[in-house]
Amino acid sequence: MAENCQSVQFLDETHVPDSERRALVAVQPQGFFIRHPPKPHDLEENLTDEACLFQTIHMGAAIVDPVRWKLVIDGLVERPFVIDFQQLRQMPCKKIVSFHECYGSPLVAPTKNVWRIGNVEWTGVVFRDLLEIARPHPEAHFVWSDGLDSGAFGGVAADRYRKDLPIDKALSPEVLVAYEMNGKPLGKERGGPVRLVVPGWFGTNSTKWLCRLSLQDRRAQGPFTTIFYNELDPEDTTGLRKRPVWKVQPNAMIVRPRPGETFLCPCDVDVWGRAWGAEEIVRVEVTVDGGDTWEEANLLPREMFEWQLFTLRVISPRGRRVIQARATDRLGAQQALRQSRNHVPTVETQVE
Ligand SMILES: Nc1nc2c(c(=O)[nH]1)N[C@H]1C(S)=C(S)[C@@H](COP(=O)(O)O)O[C@H]1N2
Ligand SMILES: [Mo]
């Protein structure tokens, strides 16, 4: 790590707070923007192309000057420092393939699955390597991440997009300060030049247009960690307690058959799709009779944080077939059948 230490600039009392925000050229266009992904039956590739990956932007897209861009690492650390783009690129890098999922709108009740999902390869510096340079104090329990964007979302003004991560997750070897996706520099809408990537956790935690990572002893107090992105904790029996939108719950999508596809009897129907979650998926069951009977599909194990392929050939009788797939993770968490943001996918087909 010594070589990395030489190439960063440690901060002293002359450091001007928020000076990293000078890299912002403009927020343009301003306002909420979402680019919806293709439907699951059009997401056939294992690695999702940039053109097919959804985009979610709350307050507008930040245009960042890559020459002025810098990342400040400060807060409860022994040695706060700043690193520029060239210095970051000189550090050892890592590639991680990970599913990337948006939680969905934080303004509506989470009762529908929107399948805002893809699977991509990120390249960047392991955040832990940067933390080792800074040397966090023992009371640093959270990492706050700031984006260069500002504006308003859901009627609430914010001077920055700010998220937080508990230190355990921030120290995990998969958390990247990333500058490439699928081998190409991050574009403007993707959060370039540099963004945070938090594999296994909802996209909202992966701060785009990253400019500052600050070690703190408590959760961040901005709108994106208080008003938005907390959900009812299903493990709480009182039904009142909330938890942050952090870990991705088990989910699945059916790629084949396509909705409305017709098969001629007698036939085998090949059902396949993808399953993912913060924890590895260990079982996917498929039904072709709307849930009366379930059969276990073949499932590929997980390598990194990528989504997992499931396949099943079923012999289907004549008639309208209601096909569903249900994923269970290694801790036993299972998709709900309905009325939740990760409920099972349903595809209707006809066997004639
Ligand atoms: N700075 C900043 N980071 C952000 C957002 C944002 O609006 N501003 N949106 C978040 C949300 S909700 C998601 S799902 C992901 C989306 O990343 P993508 O647009 O590259 O798919 O970025 C997250 N990071
Ligand atoms: Mo999101």
Side-chain angles (χ1 to χ4, degrees), residues 93-111:
C93 73
K94 182 169 177 173
K95 290 184 189 294
I96 297 234
V97 180
S98 176
F99 70 83
H100 178 53
E101 186 181 20
C102 177
Y103 179 77
S105 173
L107 304 175
V108 299
T111 56

Side-chain angles (χ1 to χ4, degrees), residues 34 54-58 100-106 116 161 202-205 229 245:
I34 176 134
F54 71 90
Q55 290 169 356
T56 308
I57 292 173
H58 292 85
H100 178 53
E101 186 181 20
C102 177
Y103 179 77
S105 173
R116 219 174 276 167
Y161 186 82
F202 280 110
T204 174
N205 301 292
Y229 297 112
V245 169

